[in-house]
Amino acid sequence: MEEIDKEYVGFATLPNQVHRKSVKKGFDFTLMVSGESGLGKSTLVNSLFLTDLYKDRNLLNAEERITQTVEITKHTVDIEEKGVKLKLTIVDTPGFGDAVNNTECWKSVADYIDQQFEQYFRDESGLNRKNIQDNRVHCCLYFISPFGHGLRPLDVEFMKALHEKVNIVPVLAKADTLTPAEVKKKKIKIREEIEQYGIKIYQFPDCDSDEDEDFKQQDQELKESIPFAVIGSNTVVEAKGKRVRGRLYPWGIVEVENPAHCDFVKLRNMLVRTHMQDLKDVTRETHYENYRAHCIQSMTRMVVKERNRNKLTRESGTDFPIPMVPGVTDTETEKLIREKDEEVRHSPCPDPHEQTQHHEQHSERGSSSEPHSQGS
């Protein structure tokens, strides 16, 4: 008996639909760069995304840096490439690690990450959830100085304070100040110390068994490259008859995009081409979920406490007090509720007969001037 071909339904086009919708909507990515001044954070960011985000920056002298506290600055730029739009936000932390006493200087960075989670939680729990802006930090590039012996106490404290809030990707800065042998030695030492101190840096997802060998090898190379030894440069120099981005020294040229010279290309590929979506997924599914669960647990405990306190004297019919959003006045809240009521009222009702009955019951209840119950 001849086998009859299955009819083609068409859900194989779903990936195309998702792709089209995503491209139309655009993408956003928030990258934080942290580390002490002078490690080339700004240069690397400009090199990674071929932009000039820091053109209006005012550089402080040594005297001004002593009194400077850690502040958070944001630069947002819209990049378009082959019709795909990316809203890139770079969060910088000038003043971090520059003081003589750096006790808890990471606190303002941790607070900033928490504030973004809090804002997102408020927005998605609020009345209007249509155009929520996602400012959550998806990745933190932490710059490690090439001049020390592995990690300093400040590096350990920073990463331990933030590793459960954000995806940390360690970067060995200014790798052109080290020989290839020194880079290799330093990488091994830093990886050992990260494990020794129990620091949870961003873990590359394991490859599926059905992936091709090239992808598996690329994934293994990425894992072995941690921390990424990088060199940044925004200047174009001439090497062997071709123009490349790099640094010109009396003894030769360091090419930024040459894999034999540094891990810049590996870092850029990881951040943009292969793992950007995974960094966003881990932020949403792990770090933000942990924050959200903690918030809801705190709210539930507060409600249970309040309920137990008012068990005997409760007069209100509402069991669950709705937490008010600080900074929003009563009139603003009422306005939002009215807008939501209008939206619900104008949405199509599945059964007009039910709707009529519902309105009649509602009007009967509304016509009674006496309260429903005056006590138990």
Side-chain angles (χ1 to χ4, degrees), residues 317-367:
T318 308
D319 279 357
F320 200 101
I322 300 161
M324 291 294 286
V325 180
V328 179
T329 60
D330 290 347
T331 51
E332 284 175 8
T333 311
E334 283 169 18
K335 187 183 170 189
L336 280 167
I337 291 167
R338 276 201 302 275
E339 283 174 8
K340 269 291 169 221
D341 283 347
E342 283 297 315
E343 280 182 36
V344 172
R345 203 173 289 127
H346 288 111
S347 63
C349 184
D351 189 348
H353 179 65
E354 280 181 26
Q355 194 180 28
T356 313
Q357 281 187 334
H358 174 72
H359 277 303
E360 281 170 5
Q361 286 167 8
H362 185 71
S363 59
E364 278 172 21
R365 281 203 300 271
S367 64

Side-chain angles (χ1 to χ4, degrees), residues 32-36 41 91-93 96 109 140-143 158:
M32 176 180 270
V33 284
S34 268
E36 65 183 56
K41 300 191 296 295
V91 180
D92 203 348
T93 56
F96 174 82
V109 182
C140 173
L141 290 183
Y142 185 71
F143 285 67
F158 176 91

Side-chain angles (χ1 to χ4, degrees), residues 63-287:
E63 194 180 339
E64 288 168 325
R65 263 191 210 149
I66 292 167
T67 55
Q68 186 194 17
T69 53
V70 182
E71 57 173 321
I72 308 289
T73 58
K74 258 172 74 172
H75 305 270
T76 303
V77 62
D78 291 308
I79 308 171
E80 189 170 336
E81 190 177 87
K82 292 186 179 177
V84 178
K85 289 174 189 166
L86 175 71
K87 183 189 171 192
L88 174 71
T89 304
I90 302 293
V91 180
D92 203 348
T93 56
F96 174 82
D98 291 351
V100 176
N101 180 7
N102 288 306
T103 310
E104 293 198 341
C105 67
W106 59 86
K107 204 167 184 320
S108 56
V109 182
D111 287 345
Y112 177 82
I113 293 168
D114 280 340
Q115 280 162 18
Q116 305 317 306
F117 282 158
E118 184 187 352
Q119 187 59 52
Y120 193 87
F121 180 69
R122 285 192 191 288
D123 288 348
E124 76 166 5
S125 309
L127 284 160
N128 227 338
R129 307 194 304 173
K130 277 180 184 167
N131 298 310
I132 298 176
Q133 268 198 319
D134 185 5
N135 292 316
R136 295 172 294 184
V137 181
H138 300 119
C139 177
C140 173
L141 290 183
Y142 185 71
F143 285 67
I144 298 163
S145 171
F147 310 121
H149 299 282
L151 296 177
R152 298 167 304 163
L154 177 63
D155 301 332
V156 175
E157 290 293 335
F158 176 91
M159 289 196 269
K160 285 194 87 166
L162 269 78
H163 65 178
E164 290 187 343
K165 297 175 187 288
V166 69
N167 297 311
I168 296 173
V169 175
V171 165
L172 182 62
K174 297 201 166 182
D176 50 343
T177 60
L178 304 167
T179 64
E182 286 173 329
V183 167
K184 199 174 180 182
K185 200 174 168 185
K186 262 191 176 24
K187 280 188 176 195
I188 292 166
K189 184 160 175 57
I190 289 167
R191 279 203 298 268
E192 283 172 357
E193 288 182 340
I194 282 170
E195 198 173 331
Q196 179 192 330
Y197 291 113
I199 298 164
K200 299 173 198 160
I201 58 168
Y202 170 65
Q203 294 296 313
F204 297 109
D206 293 325
C207 281
D208 295 327
S209 53
D210 60 345
E211 291 285 4
D212 58 30
E213 288 305 312
D214 286 350
F215 190 83
K216 283 181 183 174
Q217 189 185 343
Q218 184 191 353
D219 193 65
Q220 191 56 37
E221 281 177 13
L222 277 180
K223 286 174 182 173
E224 287 169 3
S225 296
I226 294 286
F228 293 100
V230 294
I231 304 161
S233 171
N234 299 318
T235 53
V236 176
V237 291
E238 197 155 314
K240 295 172 188 171
K242 60 175 184 177
R243 290 169 66 76
V244 293
R245 274 191 306 148
R247 291 181 176 273
L248 183 63
Y249 292 110
W251 56 86
I253 289 171
V254 176
E255 294 174 43
V256 168
E257 294 181 7
N258 186 338
H261 291 189
C262 70
D263 297 328
F264 174 85
V265 173
K266 282 180 188 167
L267 175 66
R268 188 179 62 191
N269 285 350
M270 186 280 291
L271 267 182
V272 182
R273 296 187 183 184
T274 58
H275 288 76
M276 183 181 273
Q277 191 55 50
D278 189 64
L279 285 161
K280 292 176 75 170
D281 290 344
V282 173
T283 301
R284 188 185 70 246
E285 293 164 13
T286 305
H287 301 304

Side-chain angles (χ1 to χ4, degrees), residues 278-318:
D278 189 64
L279 285 161
K280 292 176 75 170
D281 290 344
V282 173
T283 301
R284 188 185 70 246
E285 293 164 13
T286 305
H287 301 304
Y288 174 67
E289 273 306 307
N290 290 343
Y291 175 86
R292 185 176 170 276
H294 177 72
C295 278
I296 290 171
Q297 281 170 351
S298 303
M299 282 163 63
T300 310
R301 277 197 292 268
M302 186 180 74
V303 167
V304 169
K305 209 173 175 182
E306 191 70 27
R307 189 180 290 166
N308 290 341
R309 192 186 298 154
N310 299 335
K311 208 165 191 179
L312 299 170
T313 57
R314 192 198 298 126
E315 291 175 5
S316 168
T318 308

Side-chain angles (χ1 to χ4, degrees), residues 38-75:
L39 290 180
K41 300 191 296 295
S42 316
T43 308
L44 185 79
V45 166
N46 285 338
S47 307
L48 280 169
F49 298 100
L50 303 176
T51 55
D52 189 7
L53 285 170
Y54 296 87
K55 54 182 179 287
D56 303 324
R57 188 175 57 159
N58 179 29
L59 288 169
L60 302 176
N61 60 34
E63 194 180 339
E64 288 168 325
R65 263 191 210 149
I66 292 167
T67 55
Q68 186 194 17
T69 53
V70 182
E71 57 173 321
I72 308 289
T73 58
K74 258 172 74 172
H75 305 270

